Amino acid sequence: MKLHDPALMTALLDGELKGWRRWYVRRHVARCPTCAVEYRLQRHARDLLRQHPPRHHMPDSPDFFWSKVRNEINQRGATPVAVPNPRLSLADWIWLRPLALPAVAATLAILLATVTLLQLRPAPPAKSPPVASRVITATSPVPNSVATAFHSDAAEATVIWVSGLPWTPDMTEMQTLFANLDT
Ligand SMILES: [Zn+2]
């Protein structure tokens, strides 16, 4: 029999140990501080559970409940689960999704329009140095994403980079996603 085994404390509390095993484990618990602590902790947990029986009860029988869970798993088994990605750099993002560039371009175009509508235009050019670029960060209309506008007077161009966009596998889905933002 293995010494200092928490499973033995459980068996002792469950009344599963008989004869010399029970005698031996009880004697060990009485002499070993480590196992005595384990035994008291387990007994305490049991007392607490007994004093506070669970208030929630299953509407279904356990068998039916688990069969529902099993069905759910079977149905969703093939569906990938969306896990939030860590923030990636632009290079990482493109490297990971080489086919995503058209979608990104469309996204940028849509967000450029959106940001213009939100009147997040950069300050008048007169107040800024001629070659300087301005960077404006704003919460984008897409949940959990941030739009950053890089404006260059010299290039007369504004690039809007959006981080934290949800990933869609194709353009149609991307368009649907953004079309629904206004509603
Ligand atoms: Zn022990």
Side-chain angles (χ1 to χ4, degrees):
M1 213 173 341
K2 198 179 110 195
L3 277 182
H4 315 305
D5 185 356
L8 285 177
M9 310 300 112
T10 312
L12 185 61
L13 283 161
D14 284 343
E16 284 172 0
L17 298 178
K18 308 285 178 214
W20 72 270
R21 284 173 159 263
R22 182 178 146 84
W23 172 83
Y24 180 82
V25 173
R26 279 173 68 102
R27 194 186 70 146
H28 179 78
V29 171
R31 296 179 179 187
C32 168
T34 309
C35 290
V37 167
E38 176 65 31
Y39 181 80
R40 280 203 300 273
L41 281 174
Q42 287 199 23
R43 198 179 52 189
H44 180 60
R46 260 156 214 266
D47 289 347
L48 285 176
L49 284 172
R50 209 175 297 122
Q51 288 161 26
H52 305 279
R55 287 185 188 173
H56 304 286
H57 71 97
M58 276 190 186
D60 310 318
S61 76
D63 282 347
F64 185 57
F65 175 79
W66 287 114
S67 76
K68 284 205 293 191
V69 171
R70 212 174 297 118
N71 282 342
E72 194 84 351
I73 292 170
N74 287 340
Q75 276 173 23
R76 296 191 191 187
T79 315
V81 177
V83 178
N85 280 328
R87 287 286 162 90
L88 299 172
S89 74
L90 177 54
D92 291 337
W93 202 89
I94 291 170
W95 185 81
L96 285 170
R97 301 178 174 106
L99 300 175
L101 281 174
V104 174
T107 309
L108 291 181
I110 293 163
L111 271 137
L112 181 60
T114 313
V115 172
T116 310
L117 285 173
L118 291 172
Q119 298 192 324
L120 289 172
R121 276 179 291 249
K127 288 184 180 174
S128 57
V131 194
S133 304
R134 285 187 299 271
V135 177
I136 300 164
T137 304
T139 310
S140 89
V142 188
N144 301 320
S145 63
V146 171
T148 306
F150 302 92
H151 178 79
S152 165
D153 289 339
E156 293 186 334
T158 303
V159 173
I160 298 184
W161 176 250
V162 184
S163 56
L165 278 184
W167 166 242
T168 59
D170 57 46
M171 276 300 292
T172 317
E173 200 175 318
M174 180 71 89
Q175 282 166 340
T176 314
L177 187 78
F178 281 92
N180 291 337
L181 283 174
D182 296 335
T183 58

